[in-house]
Amino acid sequence: MLGRSLREVSAALKQGQITPTELCQKCLSLIKKTKFLNAYITVSEEVALKQAEESEKRYKNGQSLGDLDGIPIAVKDNFSTSGIETTCASNMLKGYIPPYNATVVQKLLDQGALLMGKTNLDEFAMGSGSTDGVFGPVKNPWSYSKQYREKRKQNPHSENEDSDWLITGGSSGGSAAAVSAFTCYAALGSDTGGSTRNPAAHCGLVGFKPSYGLVSRHGLIPLVNSMDVPGILTRCVDDAAIVLGALAGPDPRDSTTVHEPINKPFMLPSLADVSKLCIGIPKEYLVPELSSEVQSLWSKAADLFESEGAKVIEVSLPHTSYSIVCYHVLCTSEVASNMARFDGLQYGHRCDIDVSTEAMYAATRREGFNDVVRGRILSGNFFLLKENYENYFVKAQKVRRLIANDFVNAFNSGVDVLLTPTTLSEAVPYLEFIKEDNRTRSAQDDIFTQAVNMAVSIPVALSNQGLPIGLQFIGRAFCDQQLLTVAKWFEKQVQFPVIQLQELMDDCSAVLENEKLASVSLKQ
Amino acid sequence: MAAPMLRWGCRGRRWAFARVDGGSCHRRGAPTGSTSNQIRGESSVAQQPLHTAQKTRKGEHKWAAVVGLEIHAQISSNSKLFSGSQVRFSAPPNSLVSFFDASLPGTLPVLNRRCVEAAVMTGLALNCHINKKSLFDRKHYFYADLPAGYQITQQRLPIAVNGSLIYGVCAGKKQSQVIPKTVRIKQIQLEQDSGKSLHDNLRSQTLIDLNRAGVGLLEVVLEPDMSCGEEAATAVRELQLILQALGTSQANMAEGQLRVDANISVHHPGEPLGVRTEVKNLNSIRFLAKAIDYEIQRQINELENGGEILNETRSFHHKLGCTMSMRDKEGKQDYRFMPEPNLPPLVLYDATSLPAGADPQQVINIDQIRETLPELPSVTREKLVQQYGMLLEHSFTLLNEVGLLEFFQNVIKETRAEPKKVTSWVLNTFLGYLKQQNLAVSESPVTPSALAELLDLLDSRTISSSAAKQVMDVKNRNPRAINKLIGLVRKATQSRADPVMIKEILEKKLSL
């Protein structure tokens, strides 16, 4: 049962094959078993069981709230949850219990979803590995998969197994690990420059960043307000569409949500053929750092579309190379501003120093934030100084407009969807990852995802090492349904293999019942 | 101190135009009588910088003062600028604080329509150009009563710009001349108020009250077109009347609904402007005038003694009557302005740009607001002049004294007496008594009907003018008037009646 998709388990609940409480308990037990992954910061066991009980009553009374009723979900620990600690993986917010729910959390609960817990991340979502949070790094479940282990046995150079675990990518690595290890059926991440799509690619999941303005940010503790979007992590595209259907829509508490009525629910048609589609391949995304495996899968995917009748053309996004530096200026500036409220006065960490208010601020912030956060605050404040504002912030805003126009121009030239890699390569071992600092890593890892408004990463195939590789589909803003429809067609063609975690879950035989064999369609 | 020297230029004028604080030092020596004799040949003062007449010992240069104002008016609205919390003065501390006001992480601002309408209304009344598109910015500084670490304001593109405020300064050889003066309005911007810090020095604690945090403010920036405390005070008083007439702010300075910062510099005419200082937190119109005049003289003295003026923030100490450097520890602040990313541009419409079929609840129509503008004080005054043939300066006094216009209109309604007589009685006799006893119009023991009846008796020549004045005295519980009556009774009874009893009976008869 645990290995099923959200849609499948939802059907099972409706048919009474399993009760919400049974499902909840299975997930809780798996959460305990996979505790070493460090996917969760807080497991909200009592809350989840109580919600399950209520859901069960509704099912008994034939008053199910819909597809999400009784479905275990997890939420990244930068979304406010009423009565449940919300830390952003930072000392600064350890012990902080918000008095309100983020709109997206409330919407999921209103649909009957069960909140299993709050998932791990890089501190304040600043990172691309889920390695830089105060609660320690998240381990990629694929490190323990049969597929990866078998490949490693073949490799004579493989080192000590236990120290060789892989990162999940980030910053929503906890959410990705939680879904990937079957501890829940969907999870909320947040995506600013790739924080949902990147770990989705590394963990073999669907990672979706909806259009900015489609989903409320109210209650999401911000990284970059002008780019943050609540992200969705699921095992398949249809599941992402179900969750999007529950979340999308205007929110009077978030003035940046759009008011146009939207088609609900986001039911995805099954495309019979793709002959009317035009797929764009941005030539600037073919960078030297791209691993040959990813490059090869990317071109096979393009071939697949072409062989099925789609028009595949090369497009140019000429300002791509500026996106990382542009993002750096805008991101750090907003970070500097957003972090100003953490002063120890009203909530969160407060130091013991009380000589003066200023001394208290300084010590509180030094103790509360890690180096990455402090570094970004420092650079952001530099860019916002009166003497630097025009040369950095305003210039970066102009460059952002040019980059955004690149996409608009591509779509206006007749392209429906852009096809790109999500990451340069598959997940790397933790020990490898930490050889570079957070900033270098973020710049490399988010190279394809940073400048993008609405996009989805789809798992495509396993690498030679037995690890997932994802490709990204980028759509026109507010054409989320069209994008997911194309992604769903693609997903069906590639038949990405299910992660095999028998060793982890030897008593959860249910997983095996739904196991699919690796497809050969895109295998190298 | 040099400040008193400045008084000559302003004496008497404030009486008519700027006095709002209850007891005024200018009442001394001229409590009653006609307002007109308060004004002595001051056209040169009103027209030119105040300090031209102040030749120094060196006597070589004249000084001109330049004064600009930043005025913060709390918007009169039920809820705050970006949150649903109530706005109420003197509520228990921290009882009007939403999650957003307390800057809980993840909360977002939602713009209050009423505040936008108030800003548009005020902009229109002050002849501003209303920007169809305006933007919000964050202004950063760390302070305990600013929980987010930044204030949301409109630095780059405010809601209203390029307006003007016309106010009247009294002058002329004839006592009756009111000279209109214009101060340009640079801009009006919407912004958040901060909370309040209460410092407990004994326990070295600071207590924070966030009730005020996030209340909507209109920041009105007046260009440096003024040249003395009196002009600034009169301009602020006019603005206060306009805001109150519009209902966009209660503009009560004592309750902090209107706060003024003044930028002041001095220079020699024809030369570049001098270094300016900012005098902060002026919480009454009287102190505003005093502080500005003090600061002008301080700068002149400083420069004439070879000193220099520092670009600094100063505060006015009303007990000492002087300004003092606030000595900001951090020195010059860099506010690191940044666009507020959580608020889309504020777009306003007019009749021509209004999209067809737009939901009136979702859009703000400037033309519609223009149609609902109430009568402004300048128009009210014109009407008074035309309708009752009073002097313009009298109309100023009627509007400046809280409640006096209404009192006047009620008397007019009920009496047969000529308007000119009513004007004279209300402004001279009645107001004179109030001033003498330091009473507000609302505290007056004389009702409009009583005065109307008295004027009727006067009009029908039933009583003489001096008798009428005596009646006023009695009605106002003037002890001298009562004593005079007691004296008359004692005389008539040949001193046989008990004075205490006479007083009791008289008071009863007079229903005092």
Side-chain angles (χ1 to χ4, degrees):
Chain A
M1 194 62 72
L2 290 179
R4 293 186 183 183
S5 73
L6 192 159
R7 175 150 297 187
E8 287 160 351
V9 83
S10 180
L13 282 167
K14 282 172 194 159
Q15 289 158 17
Q17 292 170 13
I18 190 168
T19 68
T21 307
E22 285 165 5
L23 192 59
C24 183
Q25 274 162 345
K26 275 181 196 282
C27 286
L28 285 169
S29 126
L30 200 49
I31 288 172
K32 280 169 197 157
K33 210 162 284 172
T34 57
K35 194 170 187 301
F36 66 97
L37 294 176
N38 208 11
Y40 288 83
I41 292 173
T42 304
V43 180
S44 46
E45 182 168 349
E46 281 178 31
V47 172
L49 284 169
K50 192 158 179 296
Q51 289 165 341
E53 204 178 300
E54 284 161 16
S55 171
E56 199 154 327
K57 276 185 212 154
R58 288 191 294 269
Y59 274 109
K60 273 185 186 149
N61 297 333
Q63 292 169 329
S64 152
L65 295 170
D67 287 342
L68 289 173
D69 203 344
I71 303 288
I73 53 127
V75 173
K76 190 178 182 180
D77 207 23
N78 59 350
F79 287 94
S80 302
T81 43
S82 180
I84 300 173
E85 191 178 352
T86 299
T87 67
C88 288
S90 175
N91 266 327
M92 188 57 96
L93 284 178
K94 259 191 197 166
Y96 167 66
I97 299 177
Y100 74 101
N101 277 326
T103 297
V104 284
V105 172
Q106 191 60 51
K107 283 188 168 186
L108 289 175
L109 297 182
D110 289 347
Q111 303 268 318
L114 317 179
L115 178 59
M116 308 309 292
K118 305 294 294 291
T119 56
N120 206 345
L121 65 154
D122 290 298
E123 184 163 333
F124 282 101
M126 297 182 204
S128 60
S130 301
T131 52
D132 281 332
V134 73
F135 300 102
V138 185
K139 296 179 178 178
N140 191 328
W142 284 85
S143 318
Y144 310 95
S145 69
K146 193 174 156 195
Q147 293 102 320
Y148 178 60
R149 299 233 158 180
E150 278 178 358
K151 293 283 179 189
R152 276 193 349 142
K153 274 181 206 150
Q154 296 160 13
N155 182 352
H157 302 296
S158 84
E159 295 161 33
N160 178 338
E161 275 189 16
D162 285 337
S163 66
D164 218 15
W165 56 270
L166 310 155
I167 58 140
T168 53
S171 64
S172 312
S175 289
V179 178
S180 173
F182 304 112
T183 65
C184 61
Y185 290 86
L188 291 183
S190 60
D191 195 323
T192 309
S195 277
T196 292
R197 291 160 288 160
N198 172 293
H202 286 333
C203 295
L205 299 173
V206 172
F208 180 44
K209 181 189 193 189
S211 299
Y212 185 91
L214 187 62
V215 179
S216 168
R217 292 180 296 113
H218 174 251
L220 166 61
I221 299 177
L223 176 64
V224 186
N225 307 275
S226 57
M227 298 186 231
D228 291 342
V229 178
I232 299 166
L233 289 134
T234 53
R235 289 183 209 131
C236 67
V237 176
D238 269 331
D239 289 359
I242 292 174
V243 178
L244 180 66
L247 302 184
D251 179 7
R253 291 190 179 87
D254 178 357
S255 308
T256 61
T257 51
V258 291
H259 285 267
E260 280 75 36
I262 41 169
N263 296 327
K264 270 190 160 189
F266 279 81
M267 293 296 286
L268 301 179
S270 294
L271 273 186
D273 76 309
V274 289
S275 59
K276 292 199 177 72
L277 271 184
C278 179
I279 306 289
I281 308 291
K283 62 176 184 187
E284 288 81 6
Y285 281 43
L286 185 59
V287 293
E289 300 89 344
L290 188 64
S291 81
S292 58
E293 275 187 292
V294 175
Q295 188 185 329
S296 150
L297 278 174
W298 183 21
S299 75
K300 283 186 185 204
D303 292 345
L304 172 67
F305 275 101
E306 203 162 44
S307 67
E308 294 293 322
K311 191 173 156 196
V312 178
I313 60 168
E314 186 184 85
V315 296
S316 175
L317 305 171
H319 298 94
T320 297
S321 60
Y322 304 108
S323 68
I324 294 290
V325 66
C326 165
Y327 176 85
H328 178 70
V329 174
L330 297 176
C331 169
T332 56
S333 300
E334 286 199 31
V335 162
S337 175
N338 289 331
M339 296 294 143
R341 70 188 57 211
F342 299 106
D343 55 15
L345 279 185
Q346 296 183 82
Y347 42 78
H349 178 70
R350 188 196 289 192
C351 70
D352 296 328
I353 293 166
D354 60 357
V355 240
S356 72
T357 312
E358 287 77 12
M360 196 263 285
Y361 288 158
T364 296
R365 289 163 68 80
R366 188 174 59 242
E367 293 166 11
F369 296 134
N370 71 5
D371 287 351
V372 176
V373 178
R374 285 209 306 277
R376 290 202 193 181
I377 291 173
L378 189 65
S379 6
N381 276 320
F382 175 82
F383 298 135
L384 291 177
L385 285 177
K386 204 172 179 185
E387 69 207 69
N388 297 332
Y389 184 75
E390 285 290 325
N391 284 336
Y392 292 92
F393 189 84
V394 172
K395 214 167 258 180
Q397 277 189 314
K398 289 177 182 167
V399 174
R400 168 158 70 179
R401 173 57 60 89
L402 292 174
I403 293 169
N405 284 346
D406 282 353
F407 287 96
V408 171
N409 293 338
F411 290 122
N412 286 348
S413 74
V415 169
D416 296 303
V417 165
L418 296 168
L419 174 64
T420 78
T422 309
T423 54
L424 289 169
S425 68
E426 75 275 71
V428 298
Y430 174 73
L431 293 175
E432 181 71 26
F433 185 81
I434 56 171
K435 283 179 186 162
E436 301 276 10
D437 65 19
N438 178 294
R439 191 179 155 197
T440 313
R441 278 298 180 191
S442 299
Q444 288 169 354
D445 297 341
D446 292 343
I447 184 165
F448 304 124
T449 48
Q450 215 144 52
V452 178
N453 179 354
M454 192 265 288
V456 63
S457 177
I458 303 293
V460 182
L462 296 184
S463 69
N464 289 334
Q465 287 197 78
L467 293 175
I469 289 175
L471 289 178
Q472 174 177 238
F473 291 94
I474 305 170
R476 196 193 283 263
F478 298 107
C479 297
D480 301 61
Q481 195 182 19
Q482 182 201 24
L483 182 83
L484 291 179
T485 304
V486 174
K488 181 178 168 180
W489 178 88
F490 182 73
E491 176 187 57
K492 198 178 163 196
Q493 310 302 309
V494 299
Q495 292 292 309
F496 181 76
V498 169
I499 183 172
Q500 296 175 22
L501 289 176
Q502 291 91 335
E503 284 168 49
L504 277 181
M505 303 179 286
D506 38 17
D507 55 348
C508 294
S509 53
V511 174
L512 297 167
E513 79 189 43
N514 206 41
E515 188 178 328
K516 290 170 189 158
L517 284 173
S519 151
V520 288
S521 59
L522 287 177
K523 263 310 222 175
Q524 300 186 4
Chain B
M1 283 292 157
M5 289 169 60
L6 294 168
R7 285 285 162 237
W8 71 269
C10 296
R11 172 161 294 153
R13 289 191 295 142
R14 191 168 301 125
W15 191 93
F17 303 120
R19 192 192 160 279
V20 288
D21 299 301
S24 159
C25 55
H26 297 292
R27 300 265 73 241
R28 275 179 288 117
T32 55
S34 129
T35 47
S36 45
N37 66 19
Q38 302 295 311
I39 296 146
R40 305 180 198 107
E42 286 166 359
S43 60
S44 63
V45 175
Q47 300 289 356
Q48 295 163 22
L50 181 65
H51 300 274
T52 49
Q54 294 202 322
K55 294 263 170 76
T56 64
R57 265 157 284 155
K58 286 154 199 152
E60 286 155 16
H61 293 295
K62 292 172 176 180
W63 290 100
V66 175
V67 180
L69 300 175
E70 278 174 27
I71 298 161
H72 290 93
Q74 255 185 23
I75 298 171
S76 172
S77 65
N78 294 329
S79 57
K80 295 184 181 178
L81 182 55
F82 296 120
S83 80
S85 317
Q86 266 189 58
V87 176
R88 198 147 35 89
F89 185 69
S90 76
N94 294 312
S95 61
L96 308 174
V97 185
S98 70
F99 299 152
F100 175 79
D101 304 329
S103 80
L104 292 196
T107 52
L108 299 170
V110 178
L111 185 57
N112 179 344
R113 180 191 176 96
R114 156 69 191 160
C115 294
V116 177
E117 287 170 342
V120 172
M121 221 179 190
T122 307
L124 291 173
L126 295 173
N127 314 303
C128 289
H129 168 75
I130 307 293
N131 281 324
K132 298 254 179 67
K133 179 181 150 187
S134 60
L135 302 170
F136 290 96
D137 303 284
R138 291 180 179 181
K139 175 182 180 176
H140 299 88
Y141 58 94
F142 281 104
Y143 205 79
D145 57 25
L146 186 74
Y150 56 82
Q151 174 198 37
I152 303 178
T153 177
Q154 294 195 297
Q155 188 231 2
R156 289 166 301 162
L157 193 51
I159 191 162
V161 292
N162 298 336
S164 60
L165 170 68
I166 298 167
Y167 60 99
V169 168
C170 207
K173 278 184 184 129
K174 290 197 171 179
Q175 304 99 331
S176 59
Q177 224 174 313
V178 174
I179 308 252
K181 292 223 147 204
T182 304
V183 51
R184 291 166 300 150
I185 289 168
K186 186 174 177 229
Q187 64 188 54
I188 300 175
Q189 63 200 48
L190 278 164
E191 62 183 35
Q192 296 173 297
D193 209 340
S194 64
K196 278 181 184 165
S197 296
L198 305 157
H199 301 287
D200 181 347
N201 289 331
L202 218 60
R203 284 176 229 171
S204 61
Q205 275 185 338
T206 299
L207 303 171
I208 309 293
D209 178 7
L210 295 180
N211 281 354
R212 203 181 66 176
V215 170
L217 292 178
L218 296 173
E219 180 177 322
V220 184
V221 182
L222 303 191
E223 297 277 15
D225 296 340
M226 294 153 287
S227 59
C228 68
E230 182 60 21
E231 286 186 4
T234 316
V236 169
R237 179 62 184 136
E238 184 68 16
L239 178 65
Q240 195 177 28
L241 287 173
I242 291 172
L243 294 171
Q244 286 164 347
L246 295 171
T248 54
S249 172
Q250 293 176 338
N252 180 341
M253 289 186 88
E255 290 188 0
Q257 289 148 347
L258 194 75
R259 305 190 285 272
V260 183
D261 302 334
N263 287 302
I264 301 156
S265 69
V266 299
H267 69 134
H268 297 302
E271 290 178 17
L273 294 180
V275 175
R276 66 178 192 195
T277 60
E278 185 180 20
V279 181
K280 280 213 173 272
N281 302 324
L282 299 162
N283 55 14
S284 82
I285 285 183
R286 189 157 61 95
F287 292 150
L288 166 71
K290 251 181 151 172
I292 291 172
D293 289 341
Y294 174 86
E295 180 60 16
I296 290 169
Q297 195 56 45
R298 185 192 71 83
Q299 291 188 10
I300 293 170
N301 291 350
E302 192 72 38
L303 292 171
E304 291 197 339
N305 293 326
E308 61 170 344
I309 304 302
L310 301 175
N311 182 356
E312 63 179 354
T313 305
R314 301 176 70 87
S315 64
F316 180 68
H317 287 253
H318 59 273
K319 278 181 189 150
L320 302 173
C322 65
T323 66
M324 285 174 162
S325 174
M326 286 170 81
R327 295 187 209 292
D328 284 342
K329 251 184 276 174
E330 298 136 49
K332 202 99 182 96
Q333 286 258 18
D334 189 322
Y335 292 118
R336 291 158 287 132
F337 283 100
M338 188 192 87
E340 167 55 65
N342 295 318
L343 289 166
L346 169 56
V347 178
L348 306 173
Y349 299 91
D350 60 17
T352 55
S353 67
L354 193 70
D359 177 0
Q361 290 305 307
Q362 293 296 323
V363 295
I364 289 178
N365 183 340
I366 301 167
D367 291 327
Q368 207 178 329
I369 293 175
R370 198 192 310 272
E371 283 163 24
T372 63
L373 282 185
E375 182 177 288
L376 294 177
S378 56
V379 177
T380 310
R381 282 189 287 254
E382 256 173 55
K383 280 188 180 169
L384 287 170
V385 170
Q386 283 177 5
Q387 207 169 338
Y388 304 120
M390 69 174 70
L391 297 171
L392 187 57
E393 60 171 276
H394 290 160
S395 70
F396 269 91
T397 312
L398 276 180
L399 264 72
N400 278 347
E401 296 295 333
V402 177
L404 192 60
L405 178 63
E406 198 190 346
F407 186 95
F408 170 82
Q409 283 166 335
N410 285 337
V411 177
I412 284 269
K413 252 187 256 166
E414 294 185 33
T415 184
R416 291 189 305 269
E418 269 183 42
K420 275 192 178 170
K421 183 139 271 176
V422 178
T423 307
S424 161
W425 270 79
V426 167
L427 288 183
N428 301 331
T429 320
F430 173 69
L431 190 57
Y433 285 125
L434 291 184
K435 299 292 172 204
Q436 210 170 29
Q437 295 178 33
N438 211 357
L439 292 175
V441 175
S442 59
E443 298 165 323
S444 162
V446 178
T447 62
S449 322
L451 183 56
E453 196 184 335
L454 185 70
L455 292 177
D456 278 349
L457 292 173
L458 191 63
D459 189 59
S460 57
R461 297 177 190 256
T462 310
I463 58 170
S464 72
S465 171
S466 68
K469 279 192 178 139
Q470 273 180 38
V471 173
M472 277 290 278
D473 276 344
V474 171
K475 274 288 181 193
N476 280 310
R477 294 196 192 88
N478 186 334
R480 287 207 334 242
I482 301 272
N483 289 343
K484 198 171 175 187
L485 288 176
I486 294 171
L488 288 171
V489 175
R490 290 192 69 187
K491 205 173 163 191
T493 57
Q494 294 171 337
S495 298
R496 277 176 300 195
D498 172 14
V500 177
M501 197 180 276
I502 297 172
K503 197 178 175 211
E504 269 174 26
I505 291 167
L506 275 173
E507 281 181 350
K508 209 175 165 187
K509 288 266 177 205
L510 292 164
S511 63
L512 288 176

